[in-house]
Amino acid sequence: MLKETIIMRTTEEILKEIYNLILNPSTREWERYLLTNTKDNLEAQGNESEQLAKLEMELRPLAIRNNLTPDVSDFYQRLIGKDVQVTTLDEHQIRDPQFQERAIFAGGCFWCMVEPFETQAGIVSVLSGYTGGKLSHPSYDQVNSGMSGHVEAVEIIFDTRIISYQDLLDLYWQIIDPTDALGQFQDRGLQYRPIIFTTTSEQIRLAESKRQQIVDSNTYKKPIIVEIKEAASFWPAENYHQEFYKKQPKRYKAIKRARQQFLTYRHLRGKLRNKIGLKNLY
């Protein structure tokens, strides 16, 4: 994906960004209160370095706990001097319909759904976003509330000459818990339920065949609850969430480790269940 680095340079540029955050409906009231105070003080008094240092100090407790809204979090990163890579949609589109295809998978928090696919040969682009609900242009807070009907998902553009949809399906089933209808791993809520969103009739056929194969394998005692639905509108998530594994590598590795430990345990139990035929193994 094409990246741009935003560097705050002038008071005018900073004020413009603060204005946009104040008007952003996703900005929480406490954040808006702090941003409005900073804007007013900058306009009345100037003294940019002092006002921004004060704002950084006020936002810091929420930033440390990763409790800022996504756009404010990006602003805070720039405030403390870190480059923020902006994911654009220019590269996330099908440019060669003859050999490129779109796939959409939901399997828990999209932070952990990007790297497994993006690092495969033949992947053109992976975008984190929201889909499956009726709300247009949903924000992270709206989806995270569980009331929007959307799930967190990844939209993948891939080159069919290098990697097939069947390959993507095989990978998908390796990185989810297909028996958990109320979330995935430590992520709880309907917004994290596993769903395969299909974009073609052939994807429907392959997805249903793969799901039946998993059911017939007797790997899981609990029912397989993964849904297969036709793809609807896919709404890109905020920049903060895009390629999270690159932006927050330490935090991502900790989440990934816990997820892998659980999956390893489940897969081993599944193999043992099949090998010795224990119907009640788990």
Side-chain angles (χ1 to χ4, degrees), residues 12-266:
E12 182 179 350
E13 290 171 340
I14 295 169
L15 277 170
K16 181 178 179 180
E17 186 162 8
I18 290 176
Y19 269 122
N20 289 336
L21 288 172
I22 292 171
L23 296 174
N24 189 330
S26 297
T27 300
R28 297 187 185 120
E29 286 306 312
W30 176 243
E31 295 169 331
R32 185 174 288 110
Y33 170 77
L34 296 178
L35 291 164
T36 301
N37 281 348
T38 301
K39 173 189 72 69
D40 293 342
N41 290 335
L42 281 171
E43 291 175 334
Q45 305 172 24
N47 201 349
E48 174 187 316
S49 59
E50 180 180 330
Q51 297 301 332
L52 293 181
K54 180 182 178 183
L55 178 60
E56 187 277 325
M57 182 181 66
E58 292 171 327
L59 291 174
R60 190 186 308 161
L62 293 176
I64 291 173
R65 298 196 298 271
N66 294 293
N67 200 29
L68 294 173
T69 50
D71 290 334
V72 176
S73 181
D74 281 347
F75 174 79
Y76 179 81
Q77 294 300 310
R78 289 188 286 270
L79 200 60
I80 62 176
K82 292 186 177 180
D83 290 343
V84 175
Q85 293 180 319
V86 177
T87 299
T88 73
L89 299 181
D90 293 344
E91 292 300 316
H92 188 76
Q93 54 184 293
I94 293 178
R95 298 186 182 278
D96 187 351
Q98 184 177 359
F99 297 112
Q100 290 180 355
E101 196 171 314
R102 188 168 60 106
I104 301 174
F105 298 110
C109 178
F110 44 33
W111 289 353
C112 290
M113 289 290 290
V114 175
E115 186 209 19
F117 291 104
E118 191 169 75
T119 52
Q120 302 298 311
I123 300 301
V124 177
S125 178
V126 181
L127 191 69
S128 297
Y130 316 113
T131 191
K134 297 181 179 180
L135 190 64
S136 298
H137 303 285
S139 68
Y140 176 74
D141 277 356
Q142 288 172 321
V143 176
N144 197 45
S145 72
M147 303 300 290
S148 70
H150 288 291
V151 292
E152 292 191 11
V154 289
E155 182 180 73
I156 303 162
I157 296 176
F158 61 102
D159 189 325
T160 57
R161 293 168 296 186
I162 303 172
I163 190 169
S164 68
Y165 184 70
Q166 184 66 58
D167 293 331
L168 299 182
L169 282 173
D170 292 342
L171 176 57
Y172 172 75
W173 284 93
Q174 292 175 32
I175 61 175
I176 65 165
D177 176 1
T179 67
D180 190 348
L182 300 178
Q184 288 288 282
F185 313 103
Q186 70 269 33
D187 305 313
R188 311 315 303 160
L190 293 178
Q191 69 272 25
Y192 297 121
R193 66 192 186 277
I195 305 175
I196 299 171
F197 293 94
T198 56
T199 63
T200 68
S201 57
E202 178 64 4
Q203 285 190 4
I204 295 174
R205 185 187 71 79
L206 291 172
E208 290 179 344
S209 175
K210 180 65 179 181
R211 183 174 62 182
Q212 190 59 49
Q213 178 186 336
I214 298 296
V215 171
D216 294 341
S217 71
N218 196 38
T219 300
Y220 301 93
K221 177 187 175 184
K222 295 180 180 178
I224 302 300
I225 51 75
V226 176
E227 298 178 76
I228 298 172
K229 295 183 176 182
E230 289 191 31
S233 296
F234 186 89
W235 305 100
E238 297 86 343
N239 179 66
Y240 173 80
H241 297 297
Q242 304 299 337
E243 294 194 315
F244 184 84
Y245 76 97
K246 293 181 180 179
K247 295 177 179 177
Q248 301 282 347
K250 289 184 179 180
R251 189 177 179 197
Y252 170 72
K253 286 179 181 178
I255 298 171
K256 179 182 178 181
R257 188 181 305 113
R259 188 166 173 144
Q260 286 182 326
Q261 288 173 344
F262 178 86
L263 285 171
T264 299
Y265 170 77
R266 292 298 298 267

